[in-house]
Amino acid sequence: MFKKEEIKKIYTAKIKEINKHNKLYYDKSSPIIPDREFDNLKIEILDLEKKYPFLNDRRSPSNAVGFRPSKNFEKYKHKVQMLSLSNAFDKEDLLNFEKKILNFLNEKIVLEYSAEPKIDGISASLTYLNGKLTYGVSRGDGNVGELITNNLKTIKDIPNLVKNNNIPEEIEIRGEVFIDKKDFEKLKNKFSNPRNAASGTLRQKDSKQTSKIPLKFIAYTFGYISDNKFKKQSDFLKELKSWGFLTSEHNKVFNNILDLLKFHKEFENKRYNLNYDIDGLVYKVNNLQLQKRLGFTSNAPRWAVAHKFSANHAYSEILNIDIQVGRTGALTPVAKVKPVNIGGVIVSNATLHNEDEILRKDIRVGDTVKIERAGDVIPHVLEVDLSKRKKNFSKFIFPITCPSCKSKTEKEYNKLTKRFDAVRRCTNEGFTCEKIAIERIKHFISKDAINIDGLGKKVVEKFWNLNFIKLPQDIYNLDYEKISKLDGWGLQSVSNLKFSIENSKKVKLDKFIYSLGIRHIGMENAKIIADFTKTLKNFCSLSKSNKIKDLINIDGIGETQIKSLEKFFENKINIKVLDKLSEILKIEYKQIEKKGKLKNKSFMFTGKLQNISRAEAKSLIEENSGSIVSSVSKKLDYLIIGDKPTNRKVNQAKILGVKILTQKEWSELLN
Ligand code: IVH
């Protein structure tokens, strides 16, 4: 018989050994033992633990927190957010895009654009320090990506070292990783399309695997630059080329929308001859100084737009119409159609949007319909081919009770438009309607919310049916023993799941608020509310003594959001979920350190400003760490008055002792 100490010694030695290989494998991508040996070592450790329950070690593979599973890469916070682009589909959208820019700049100038193919791949960020590739990162959720430097280094188009004096001390180069069409042909059996192939390959835990697939990289923009000497996007693209990067040979500069449209038309056909997939063109304001002034909205730059190629169409027959219930109770009709190939993708579901849409288009089961699919947007039914309508196809009757919980449904009345909403909703608030509950849990775990990537949507459904998860808090009380006995769950996947669940416990307040899935509270609103409440306790006590109403003074929060929050807090189950989650999670709030001149100062405008749009004025204040409020109160620091101000506001400010500034005085304050 072994003594306790001896067993412990053997155990600790094995733990040390496996951690050494773990590091070699995941961090350095240079394992020195075969996979099978690694797995055996793991099994030996787990067996020992089972046999001798007194054994435990934080670094053991059974303890997912201490043991980094293969799927997870180290996280990396982007210095400059990686946002997506807003879309345009036609001339009107483009004219609108330009109009918004000119309004924002409040100038009548001719804008020059850099037009570039929109490559349908995976974006990546490459940070060069003194010309040396130091960090290679995926986009992630836009704020935090995964450190995949070793995988990116296997791509031949990515220089490891840029020997050019012109490269800034620190520069983050961004571009698209993709597989070209020819190379994809060879991988067809493994992946459904080139984009998925690129994405899968890039996230291989072993960069040797990545290097086997011929990924390519085209560079097109920058993130952080320590010293920006470039004047135009087109100059920057040229510079990229001289540094040894691949840029698109189709990039071109134009100075009016009509020429952009012509270029787009040319490309609609040309795209099929390119050796990689593109799903549109990107137009960027060429002047980088103007780009800087224009800045970003919460999810896209104001200075760029993606002009998508027109959609693909096909005809198919409606087999059935399903009513899906969404997270906010919306009843969405979905046509189940005979599977049809639309532009390379097999489609068997097409959305019918809402009740009114079915009525308006008189869509019936049995009908042959025209279906449209554009990029990654859900396919939708465009119109009915009436020539194929048969007499026995009866009108579709939209249910008036929820198909999931049988509660009453309703269409809300919109006071502004004086119309009923087109969407019908289940009136059952929250977790008592099965479908709403499942959708809310799916939302809770999603990337921009709590972010549990080991727990996908399909798994949520499975665990729901097995009664493992009925409320968000159940996620933190899962029986891993039981899960490991389910079909398809191995040691590694259970350990991954445990790891990502443990990992999700530390969460920022804004993400937590967003994860609750409160209607009308998107990411941007959640951030605003987190900045206002600062602690979970304050957030939870919003419902008390009319505190929600205080939110109305904050720019970005309106009556709709307030009503929705009130409704959320009225529901007892919501409160219970909140209580439970606040016991389990470690919710933190970190104020982004404000350094600007207008730190902690609030502003409000009245009247027309000279030479600057309201939008640019607002963004100038926010860039300097000030905030904008929407009503005059004691809490307001400055009222800035332009031409023809509202007298009531000025008088109120005077009564309350709020400082009043002219536009000139405000400019002086800024400079
Ligand atoms: S510029 C702030 N240029 O399209 C975003 N993006 O839908 C600046 N993309 O996430 C991006 N080709 O992955 C830019 N020539 C191009 C692009 C391009 C493809 C991708 C990129 C981005 C996505 C937005």
Side-chain angles (χ1 to χ4, degrees):
M1 245 333 238
F2 279 107
K3 279 196 200 129
K4 230 176 169 180
E5 279 79 11
E6 284 171 37
I7 296 165
K8 192 129 197 244
K9 222 166 151 186
I10 297 169
Y11 172 74
T12 313
K14 285 189 191 296
I15 295 266
K16 268 197 182 145
E17 177 80 7
I18 201 164
N19 274 288
K20 181 180 98 189
H21 293 300
N22 196 27
K23 268 214 174 82
L24 284 166
Y25 196 65
Y26 300 126
D27 294 350
K28 307 216 164 36
S29 291
S30 52
I32 53 169
I33 55 169
D35 285 6
R36 182 154 346 125
E37 235 170 87
F38 183 89
D39 289 340
N40 283 344
L41 190 56
K42 195 152 94 186
I43 291 166
E44 280 172 39
I45 292 171
L46 299 178
D47 278 344
L48 276 174
E49 283 174 355
K50 220 169 178 179
K51 214 159 151 195
Y52 306 104
F54 65 87
L55 292 174
N56 79 62
D57 192 302
R58 194 183 49 80
R59 299 160 301 168
S60 158
S62 65
N63 183 355
V65 184
F67 197 82
R68 189 146 53 87
S70 57
K71 235 183 91 189
N72 297 286
F73 292 93
E74 232 175 279
K75 301 278 186 264
Y76 180 94
K77 186 163 177 9
H78 297 296
K79 272 195 175 169
V80 175
Q81 263 193 331
M82 278 181 95
L83 298 171
S84 61
L85 293 166
S86 49
N87 290 333
F89 292 93
D90 52 24
K91 184 175 170 186
E92 199 188 330
D93 292 346
L94 288 179
L95 290 173
N96 239 330
F97 163 69
E98 184 168 82
K99 197 167 137 197
K100 271 197 200 148
I101 291 181
L102 295 176
N103 280 344
F104 186 95
L105 297 171
N106 202 22
E107 286 188 39
K108 290 194 181 73
I109 47 174
V110 175
L111 289 172
E112 199 175 81
Y113 297 100
S114 167
E116 308 163 17
K118 184 172 182 305
I119 305 143
D120 195 10
I122 302 294
S123 52
S125 134
L126 310 167
T127 296
Y128 286 81
L129 299 179
N130 299 313
K132 187 170 175 6
L133 174 56
T134 311
Y135 304 107
V137 190
S138 68
R139 176 173 181 269
D141 67 359
N143 285 308
V144 177
E146 287 171 322
L147 206 51
I148 47 168
T149 321
N150 288 333
N151 287 358
L152 287 166
K153 276 186 178 170
T154 67
I155 302 177
K156 295 190 182 58
D157 304 328
I158 297 181
N160 210 356
L161 200 66
V162 176
K163 287 190 198 125
N164 186 312
N165 291 339
N166 245 348
I167 190 164
E169 209 173 292
E170 178 171 351
I171 180 165
E172 185 202 338
I173 290 163
R174 293 178 180 177
E176 207 77 355
V177 176
F178 62 96
I179 293 185
D180 77 22
K181 291 179 189 167
K182 265 203 219 106
D183 290 326
F184 176 69
E185 283 302 309
K186 294 171 215 149
L187 299 166
K188 240 181 174 164
N189 299 330
K190 272 175 87 183
F191 299 100
S192 58
N193 59 46
R195 190 170 189 272
N196 285 349
S199 161
T201 310
L202 211 48
R203 296 191 78 240
Q204 285 281 345
K205 60 185 177 188
D206 180 1
S207 58
K208 277 211 188 93
Q209 297 304 322
T210 311
S211 69
K212 286 185 188 157
I213 309 255
L215 293 174
K216 294 202 157 65
F217 180 81
I218 281 189
Y220 49 63
T221 192
F222 53 83
Y224 177 79
I225 299 195
S226 51
D227 167 29
N228 192 353
K229 309 186 280 270
F230 309 105
K231 296 237 169 348
K232 289 181 174 187
Q233 161 73 6
S234 48
D235 297 343
F236 178 69
L237 288 171
K238 273 186 210 136
E239 197 70 39
L240 277 174
K241 223 171 152 183
S242 76
W243 295 345
F245 288 91
L246 209 65
T247 54
S248 170
E249 70 270 39
H250 302 286
N251 296 337
K252 220 169 157 179
V253 173
F254 294 97
N255 62 11
N256 75 74
I257 299 284
L258 291 180
D259 287 345
L260 288 177
L261 281 162
K262 241 183 28 248
F263 189 55
H264 190 262
K265 192 143 197 166
E266 269 170 42
F267 252 93
E268 288 224 276
N269 294 321
K270 224 195 223 163
R271 61 188 279 211
Y272 299 106
N273 302 328
L274 298 186
N275 57 0
Y276 47 85
D277 278 334
I278 66 173
D279 58 343
L281 298 176
V282 183
Y283 307 144
K284 303 172 183 170
V285 169
N286 203 23
N287 181 324
L288 295 179
Q289 185 63 34
L290 291 182
Q291 277 194 14
K292 193 152 184 264
R293 268 180 71 191
L294 286 160
F296 301 84
T297 66
S298 63
N299 46 28
R302 287 195 188 86
W303 43 263
V305 70
H307 189 184
K308 292 288 191 87
F309 291 129
S310 65
N312 294 301
H313 299 123
Y315 283 87
S316 184
E317 230 173 89
I318 298 190
L319 304 172
N320 200 1
I321 295 176
D322 265 8
I323 305 293
Q324 292 181 350
V325 185
R327 170 173 62 87
T328 59
L331 269 48
T332 305
V334 176
K336 299 275 159 190
V337 298
K338 255 195 190 159
V340 57
N341 185 326
I342 315 184
V345 172
I346 305 292
V347 171
S348 49
N349 292 312
T351 180
L352 298 163
H353 299 292
N354 53 54
E355 182 180 4
D356 284 10
E357 180 92 352
I358 296 195
L359 255 178
R360 202 156 42 85
K361 293 183 176 163
D362 185 20
I363 296 165
R364 306 178 184 196
V365 174
D367 272 342
T368 295
V369 288
K370 188 175 183 183
I371 304 167
E372 179 174 81
R373 189 188 72 85
D376 42 12
V377 184
I378 303 169
H380 67 130
V381 170
L382 272 182
E383 60 194 16
V384 178
D385 178 354
L386 284 174
S387 71
K388 301 237 164 68
R389 159 100 27 108
K390 302 243 169 70
K391 274 203 188 106
N392 61 339
F393 296 173
S394 42
K395 258 197 186 310
F396 182 74
I397 300 175
F398 206 90
I400 50 164
T401 57
C402 171
S404 164
C405 68
K406 306 286 173 269
S407 299
K408 212 176 89 187
T409 63
E410 66 179 17
K411 288 175 147 203
E412 283 168 16
Y413 184 72
N414 187 325
K415 271 196 255 164
L416 271 176
T417 57
K418 296 207 168 97
R419 276 194 191 169
F420 283 97
D421 204 352
V423 178
R424 184 173 279 284
R425 280 172 207 281
C426 169
T427 51
N428 196 345
E429 237 303 288
F431 292 99
T432 37
C433 171
E434 176 170 332
K435 285 283 153 59
I436 297 183
I438 296 180
E439 291 308 314
R440 279 185 68 175
I441 294 167
K442 286 184 193 165
H443 173 80
F444 179 77
I445 61 156
S446 64
K447 206 168 178 181
D448 293 320
I450 292 282
N451 187 13
I452 307 181
D453 61 2
L455 193 68
K457 289 183 177 177
K458 284 263 152 22
V459 181
V460 168
E461 277 171 20
K462 188 166 179 182
F463 285 6
W464 174 280
N465 292 329
L466 291 166
N467 285 330
F468 289 2
I469 299 177
K470 290 285 169 185
L471 290 168
Q473 57 263 38
D474 300 337
I475 294 171
Y476 299 97
N477 215 356
L478 284 172
D479 185 339
Y480 294 107
E481 195 62 47
K482 261 191 192 165
I483 295 174
S484 65
K485 290 193 183 109
L486 296 176
D487 252 7
W489 285 85
L491 270 180
Q492 187 66 52
S493 46
V494 173
S495 145
N496 280 347
L497 177 67
K498 203 167 161 189
F499 176 83
S500 55
I501 289 179
E502 283 303 317
N503 230 358
S504 74
K505 284 189 179 168
K506 212 169 125 194
V507 61
K508 295 212 178 83
L509 181 60
D510 59 323
K511 297 222 170 198
F512 176 72
I513 295 173
Y514 174 70
S515 79
L516 296 170
I518 306 168
R519 196 170 157 213
H520 301 299
I521 307 294
M523 285 194 293
E524 206 46 34
N525 283 319
K527 264 191 204 137
I528 296 174
I529 297 170
D531 282 338
F532 179 78
T533 53
K534 298 203 166 52
T535 64
L536 179 66
K537 206 165 153 220
N538 288 342
F539 174 74
C540 294
S541 60
L542 266 184
S543 58
K544 290 177 200 139
S545 58
N546 251 349
K547 275 197 194 139
I548 296 183
K549 295 263 183 315
D550 286 353
L551 289 167
I552 198 95
N553 290 326
I554 310 173
D555 194 47
I557 302 282
E559 232 175 84
T560 318
Q561 283 77 23
I562 294 202
K563 273 215 177 105
S564 181
L565 279 165
E566 281 171 341
K567 205 166 161 199
F568 174 83
F569 283 114
E570 272 163 22
N571 183 294
K572 288 208 179 74
I573 303 183
N574 285 338
I575 300 294
K576 216 164 152 189
V577 170
L578 254 183
D579 283 350
K580 277 276 177 253
L581 287 176
S582 51
E583 275 168 26
I584 301 165
L585 305 176
K586 192 172 172 300
I587 296 166
E588 43 186 35
Y589 171 80
K590 229 203 238 138
Q591 182 130 30
I592 300 165
E593 216 193 308
K594 293 189 169 178
K595 294 193 191 118
K597 292 182 197 110
L598 308 181
K599 186 173 139 184
N600 298 332
K601 298 284 179 233
S602 61
F603 293 81
M604 189 179 153
F605 294 103
T606 176
K608 191 172 169 3
L609 301 174
Q610 298 296 314
N611 302 324
I612 184 170
S613 69
R614 269 281 174 94
E616 190 174 1
K618 179 173 174 240
S619 107
L620 260 177
I621 287 185
E622 285 169 349
E623 267 166 32
N624 285 285
S625 313
S627 62
I628 304 278
V629 296
S630 52
S631 67
V632 183
S633 75
K634 261 194 205 152
K635 287 184 194 153
L636 173 65
D637 293 302
Y638 297 101
L639 180 71
I640 302 163
I641 49 169
D643 234 18
K644 299 201 184 104
T646 310
N647 283 336
R648 184 178 46 83
K649 289 183 184 159
V650 180
N651 290 338
Q652 224 174 347
K654 278 182 186 156
I655 294 167
L656 295 172
V658 172
K659 271 193 205 127
I660 296 176
L661 297 180
T662 60
Q663 188 180 341
K664 194 163 164 260
E665 286 166 329
W666 170 58
S667 293
E668 284 161 8
L669 195 70
L670 266 176
N671 299 321

